[in-house]
């Protein structure tokens, strides 16, 4: 049983249904949802840290693409249905071809074939979220020792199973993903 508290409110159910409709298995849905919980707690607000917005804390070009996508489908950028659909659009380009597809994030096939929750959440963290990371544990320690806001407990000594790097908030991302998996299966 996970120590992370999650629930299936309206926003979580919308995202889960969109992910399932795209053909993703529960293990992968949990990996994506764990990242979203760690990033925004499924808050669709148009404000966030360092100019990030929405459930996935999109920034810069991806934020602009979300605006354009919302306009193209006649929806609001803060609507959970729009943001959930945008995740799939970024990953696959299913509706608009390459218009909104983020080629840095478009590893749908890689994410879809994850064999367990930990692998799924780690692939999403590395390829879709692209969270702050370091190549060695020593680099993590050095960065935390010189930072006013980073702390060592935000990292896991257990490297990312996809690429061996150390990502910020990996313990939370993994914990939330496990909790969502327990809830949705």
């Amino acid at each position: 049983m996970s120590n992370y508290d999650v629930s299936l409110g309206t926003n979580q159910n919308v995202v889960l249904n969109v992910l399932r409709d795209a053909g993703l298995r529960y293990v992968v849905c949990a990996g994506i949802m764990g990242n979203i919980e760690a990033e925004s707690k499924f808050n669709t607000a148009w404000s966030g840290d360092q100019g990030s917005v929405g459930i996935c804390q999109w920034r810069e070009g991806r934020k602009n693409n979300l605006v354009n996508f919302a306009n193209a489908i006649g929806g609001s950028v803060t609507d959970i249905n729009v943001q959930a659909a945008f995740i799939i659009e970024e990953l696959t380009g299913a509706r608009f071809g390459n218009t909104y597809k983020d080629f840095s994030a478009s590893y749908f096939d890689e994410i879809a074939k994850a064999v367990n929750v930990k692998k799924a959440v780690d692939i999403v963290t590395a390829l879709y979220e692209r969270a702050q990371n370091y190549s060695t544990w020593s680099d993590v320690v050095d960065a935390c020792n010189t930072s006013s806001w980073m702390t060592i407990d935000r990292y896991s000594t257990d490297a990312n199973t996809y690429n061996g790097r150390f990502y910020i908030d990996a313990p939370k991302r993994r914990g939330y993903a496990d909790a969502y998996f327990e809830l949705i299966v």
Side-chain angles (χ1 to χ4, degrees):
M1 177 135 175
S2 174
N3 292 331
Y4 289 81
D5 188 30
V6 299
S7 64
L8 286 178
T10 300
N11 288 1
Q12 291 87 344
N13 271 309
V14 167
V15 170
L16 177 60
N17 289 332
V18 166
L19 297 175
R20 292 290 293 156
D21 287 349
L24 295 172
R25 294 172 291 116
Y26 286 120
V27 67
V28 178
C29 295
I32 292 170
M33 293 174 74
N35 267 280
I36 293 171
E37 186 72 33
E39 288 288 326
S40 69
K41 299 201 178 305
F42 287 83
N43 185 340
T44 63
W46 203 245
S47 62
D49 188 36
Q50 300 174 3
S52 59
V53 299
I55 60 174
C56 292
Q57 295 295 280
W58 291 284
R59 294 182 356 172
E60 300 160 355
R62 293 173 79 187
K63 176 181 174 180
N64 294 336
N65 280 346
L66 173 57
V67 170
N68 294 332
F69 176 78
N71 290 336
I73 65 171
S76 167
V77 294
T78 58
D79 183 318
I80 187 61
N81 296 288
V82 171
Q83 291 186 17
F86 186 65
I87 293 169
I88 299 303
E89 190 62 27
E90 270 196 311
L91 289 170
T92 66
R95 283 173 96 168
F96 294 98
N98 293 335
T99 303
Y100 305 110
K101 189 172 181 180
D102 179 0
F103 289 96
S104 297
S106 61
Y107 296 96
F108 184 83
D109 292 339
E110 190 72 26
I111 292 167
K113 69 181 180 184
V115 296
N116 58 48
V117 174
K118 185 176 183 182
K119 187 73 169 187
V121 72
D122 282 2
I123 291 171
V124 173
T125 300
L127 299 181
Y128 187 77
E129 288 297 342
R130 299 182 300 255
Q132 181 180 20
N133 64 87
Y134 296 94
S135 57
T136 68
W137 185 251
S138 177
D139 291 342
V140 170
V141 172
D142 290 346
C144 290
N145 285 337
T146 60
S147 173
S148 62
W149 62 273
M150 283 194 314
T151 57
I152 202 79
D153 63 324
R154 292 185 71 182
Y155 292 85
S156 172
T157 57
D158 183 16
N160 185 288
T161 58
Y162 176 72
N163 63 8
R165 297 183 69 84
F166 298 88
Y167 286 85
I168 195 162
D169 295 331
K172 282 195 324 187
R173 295 171 195 281
R174 290 171 176 168
Y176 286 134
D178 285 338
Y180 275 114
F181 186 71
E182 290 174 9
L183 193 60
I184 64 179
V185 291

